[in-house]
Amino acid sequence: MNDKSDPAAPEEIRDYIRDIIRDDLAAGRRDVIVTRFPPEPNGYLHIGHAKSVCLNFGIGIEFGGRCHMRFDDTNPVKEEHEYIDAIQEDVRWLGFDWGEHLYFASDHFERLYQWAEHLINSGDAYIDDLSPDEIREHRGTLTEPGKNSPYRERPIEENLDLFRRMRAGEFPNGARVLRAKVDMASGNMNMRDPVIYRILHANHPRTGDAWCIYPTYDFAHGQSDAIEGVTHSICTLEFEDHRPLYDWLIAHLPVDMVPLQYEFSRLNLTYTVLSKRRLIQLVQENHVRGWDDPRLPTLRGLRRRGIPAAAIRDFVSRLAISKSDGTVEIALLEHCVRELLNKTAERRMAVLKPLKVVIENWPEGETDELEAINNPNDESAGTRRINFSGEIFIERDDFMEEPAKKFFRLAPGREVRLRYAYFITCREVIKNDAGEVIELRCTYDPESRGGQSPDGRKVKGTLHWASAADSVAAEVRLYNHLFNSENPGAEDDVLNDLNPDSLQVLENCLIEPSLASATPGEAIQFERQGYFCLDADSTPERPVFNRTISLRDDWARIQKQKQKS
RNA sequence: UGGGGAAUAGUAUAAUGGUAGUACAGCGGACUCUGACUCCGUAGGUCGAGGUUCGAAUCCUCGUUCCCCAGCCA
């Protein structure tokens, strides 16, 4: 098997990070390759994280090394246990396994504390009594150097004493911090004596109230890497100017091995947002129905929408690992979803906006049983039987009283094929008082059973349909891009870019009876319309389907072109 | 001259001094019991100006544009 969506595929992938790894291996600088996926448990994973997950776990697999799952849980004020569980569930769903290598930065708190004392003892860190505001003032600006804190030259013994008393809980939040003594004049802000420990009297999801001081990201991440033996610590571009500090800290600590940091550009996608802040806002302000809303780019949202993990892996595999930062068109993701689902999804018929059709010459009370193919791309999927009789429904959009140019579906006097059934001809249009078409009177050709006429007569259109006697009523939810603009919020408030039609609920759909017992998450193609899956909101009485993605639609494209011209 | 990064078709990228290639998107057509799928065809690019070289996307110089950094967030 050499399917590129298989996470264990041996195919050689090339990018600048993997090139470095191959070099490191060839030069003997590393024997085993160890990466890590380091989420902070303060939110749900989205497709941008999937890029990092696939990169890190992918590298672990490809080079016969391993990838650790590590939670960067150094800020108890923001983190919650709920996210720790959800993140693991999402990564597993994506198809990756860390075996026994589950770590938490909080596992290393005691060692980190000892290392902080080590820094104090070597004169490389000091306790600063300045307030947060004063620290900011001393930091200088982007163009002006900072000023040394008056506490910078505090004696080692005093620093040690104060640090121990910080740990013991003698001081309130914000009273003092531990800072690395680097260089207040550095052009790199991260080197201007960064805070590495702060007082936070807060309950930690894992360590409870064991600690009231916590290391900052900069004093936890690289250190955890070193403790766990991570060789290649891969992160996104915004950490690029933390790298000098990462290296400085490692160089000043008694570590057993030296991890190295590499950066790549994070994923941006058109017509959506991938920032934690904005995702939270959408959920909290109820612009969507929750973290698993199928319109959201969260992994839970994509899953509920019916997008298979394999399609996400395939999509991610087509992204470049580079340092130039850009925006990928959502059309690429959509392509990956369609390509996969076209191969795997069974076909069924469902009428979303029903229009009644009475076959006038159908023999009274008779039912015909027809055979339909389940998946033209997979013979082993077999066939099924569907009932046909004198009253059916077709899609409203498949009828035009005055057919437009190039419209080759049903119209007065016109003959079309009903898929897997018969040719019918529209004889009469029935309207209500408001002038709306409410019913069509048609005749069928008994010779065309199965969808072919023995005289070789051709029809232009083939319509899907639902039998009035057998169909089951269902709700169908159609999704469109959550935002109207490619780059939401670029010009204006993001919320002004929200697409009011991102969710369209159709209450009166008719589906084949067998669909009522579909498995949640199983992808099904509604013929001529798109890929759908059963939603968790379904009940036995009322199935609810999500549209994962529509089929490509040339007719819609033609109409759009006409609108423009 | 605060520091750090990035610039190749519409988008994302490949080419590591030697024919600018691929994917998605677009356009045109064939096929079709899904206006799907598939197939065929087609258009379109090296940020700019100099320089080195037989030869430059690649090397050099000078510009330009964009992104990140002044949390006791990660």
Side-chain angles (χ1 to χ4, degrees):
Chain A
M1 194 166 86
N2 203 15
D3 180 356
K4 64 185 152 203
S5 68
D6 179 346
E11 172 181 323
E12 178 158 307
I13 304 165
R14 281 204 52 199
D15 54 59
Y16 100 92
I17 292 175
R18 281 181 249 242
D19 283 349
I20 286 170
I21 291 174
R22 286 191 187 94
D23 263 12
D24 288 344
L25 252 12
R29 283 188 293 270
R30 305 287 190 188
D31 298 323
V32 184
I33 301 302
V34 183
T35 55
R36 101 270 88 116
F37 173 62
E40 183 189 12
N42 71 343
Y44 291 92
L45 261 28
H46 55 67
I47 193 162
H49 294 110
K51 183 179 180 184
S52 174
V53 170
C54 293
L55 212 216
N56 280 296
F57 280 95
I59 284 173
I61 293 165
E62 286 156 45
F63 294 96
R66 58 180 197 266
C67 176
H68 296 180
M69 169 65 103
R70 182 174 76 231
F71 287 92
D72 248 341
D73 56 347
T74 57
N75 186 356
V77 177
K78 293 190 172 181
E79 295 152 6
E80 286 170 36
H81 214 284
E82 172 195 356
Y83 299 122
I84 294 175
D85 299 333
I87 287 168
Q88 293 185 65
E89 190 182 297
D90 286 347
V91 173
R92 282 207 191 88
W93 173 75
L94 241 198
F96 298 97
D97 181 20
W98 48 92
E100 62 201 16
H101 296 286
L102 170 65
Y103 302 94
F104 294 81
S106 55
D107 290 343
H108 312 315
F109 278 173
E110 185 58 41
R111 175 99 71 118
L112 261 15
Y113 175 85
Q114 295 304 330
W115 278 354
E117 286 206 352
H118 176 95
L119 243 32
I120 293 172
N121 281 124
S122 59
D124 294 312
Y126 61 97
I127 300 293
D128 197 343
D129 296 358
L130 256 25
S131 71
D133 280 348
E134 290 168 324
I135 287 181
R136 191 178 336 110
E137 283 158 21
H138 280 74
R139 187 150 34 223
T141 67
L142 293 178
T143 51
E144 299 161 83
K147 292 177 301 207
N148 284 170
S149 163
Y151 303 97
R152 199 173 198 261
E153 299 308 329
R154 187 118 73 174
I156 288 172
E157 281 314 316
E158 192 182 331
N159 282 322
L160 225 38
D161 175 61
L162 253 10
F163 190 47
R164 287 171 183 167
R165 288 165 60 194
M166 274 170 63
R167 176 179 185 170
E170 288 189 28
F171 312 114
N173 289 356
R176 294 178 221 269
V177 290
L178 180 68
R179 292 230 251 171
K181 195 187 285 184
V182 190
D183 176 9
M184 289 305 291
S186 173
N188 182 343
M189 289 300 220
N190 297 117
M191 302 299 267
R192 319 244 263 225
D193 288 11
V195 171
I196 57 175
Y197 258 94
R198 71 296 210 188
I199 301 170
L200 248 27
H201 291 271
N203 195 269
H204 187 281
R206 299 193 76 252
T207 60
D209 56 5
W211 295 86
C212 63
I213 58 171
Y214 294 90
T216 56
Y217 165 84
D218 286 307
F219 196 66
H221 200 103
Q223 290 55 45
S224 301
D225 288 338
I227 292 167
E228 295 170 23
V230 169
T231 54
H232 299 260
S233 185
I234 304 167
C235 62
T236 45
L237 252 29
E238 67 269 26
F239 291 100
E240 227 159 354
D241 47 15
H242 286 247
R243 187 169 6 107
L245 176 57
Y246 183 105
D247 293 338
W248 187 95
L249 287 168
I250 290 293
H252 286 77
L253 260 14
V255 294
D256 294 330
M257 61 83 69
V258 177
L260 257 15
Q261 175 185 299
Y262 301 91
E263 309 86 15
F264 71 98
S265 60
R266 61 173 348 122
L267 173 66
N268 297 300
L269 262 186
T270 55
Y271 297 105
T272 190
V273 292
L274 290 180
S275 93
K276 230 173 235 179
R277 206 191 98 238
R278 288 187 164 163
L279 257 11
I280 286 170
Q281 184 184 17
L282 291 172
V283 174
Q284 286 185 345
E285 296 178 8
N286 295 313
H287 297 109
V288 294
R289 296 176 169 188
W291 283 104
D292 64 347
D293 188 297
R295 291 166 291 180
L296 249 25
T298 51
L299 294 182
R300 307 168 97 70
L302 297 169
R303 181 178 3 167
R304 183 165 183 184
R305 177 142 170 178
I307 293 177
I312 295 176
R313 275 184 253 126
D314 180 31
F315 168 68
V316 167
S317 77
R318 299 177 193 229
L319 304 173
I321 303 303
S322 73
K323 294 180 77 158
S324 77
D325 121 66
T327 303
V328 173
E329 288 176 343
I330 192 97
L332 183 60
L333 206 214
E334 294 172 344
H335 166 79
C336 295
V337 175
R338 288 194 183 103
E339 189 176 63
L340 178 66
L341 262 25
N342 177 48
K343 288 186 219 143
T344 56
E346 290 208 359
R347 272 90 280 212
R348 293 292 185 275
M349 291 198 286
V351 174
L352 271 26
K353 297 172 193 158
L355 173 60
K356 187 174 170 187
V357 172
V358 174
I359 316 285
E360 293 181 315
N361 58 335
W362 185 260
E364 185 77 34
E366 290 220 354
T367 298
D368 193 3
E369 200 176 64
L370 301 156
E371 188 172 50
I373 295 164
N374 287 333
N375 184 349
N377 296 319
D378 178 10
E379 216 175 300
S380 71
T383 61
R384 69 188 184 284
R385 300 278 173 171
I386 45 179
N387 285 339
F388 185 89
S389 56
E391 195 177 312
I392 57 153
F393 290 88
I394 64 166
E395 208 69 59
R396 289 204 92 90
D397 291 347
D398 284 340
F399 174 79
M400 274 181 107
E401 192 170 16
E402 291 167 34
K405 234 185 182 169
K406 286 189 179 166
F407 181 85
F408 43 81
R409 281 116 84 149
L410 198 61
R414 211 185 259 187
E415 184 174 49
V416 297
R417 170 170 38 232
L418 293 178
R419 181 137 231 231
Y420 298 124
Y422 295 91
F423 286 9
I424 59 166
T425 305
C426 177
R427 302 294 175 188
E428 194 186 335
V429 179
I430 296 174
K431 297 179 186 177
N432 63 12
D433 294 342
E436 296 157 349
V437 177
I438 52 164
E439 184 182 322
L440 264 21
R441 294 271 161 169
C442 298
T443 55
Y444 84 113
D445 174 5
E447 297 296 310
S448 64
R449 196 182 115 99
Q452 225 112 28
S453 170
D455 63 7
R457 198 163 83 243
K458 297 272 187 210
V459 289
K460 274 290 245 184
T462 299
L463 313 186
H464 60 276
W465 51 275
S467 139
D470 296 88
S471 293
V472 171
E475 174 180 325
V476 172
R477 299 172 183 170
L478 305 183
Y479 301 104
N480 294 302
H481 298 154
L482 227 200
F483 293 93
N484 282 321
S485 67
E486 286 201 9
N487 185 2
E491 324 259 291
D492 197 358
D493 189 325
V494 213
L495 299 180
N496 291 337
D497 282 337
L498 274 170
N499 175 10
D501 299 320
S502 60
L503 169 63
Q504 200 182 343
V505 179
L506 302 176
E507 309 270 3
N508 304 305
C509 309
L510 295 170
I511 61 176
E512 280 187 38
S514 65
L515 282 173
S517 55
T519 328
E522 176 195 6
I524 293 148
Q525 185 193 104
F526 289 178
E527 296 225 31
R528 301 210 304 135
Q529 303 192 100
Y531 299 95
F532 295 76
C533 70
L534 231 219
D535 186 80
D537 285 348
S538 295
T539 63
E541 298 75 42
R542 186 167 181 74
V544 177
F545 281 85
N546 294 316
R547 182 174 71 190
T548 306
I549 184 85
S550 68
L551 252 30
R552 283 181 59 126
D553 186 351
D554 270 3
W555 171 239
R557 187 175 55 78
I558 290 166
Q559 286 173 308
K560 213 186 248 173
Q561 275 175 2
K562 219 195 304 178
Q563 263 177 19
K564 274 184 192 162
S565 63

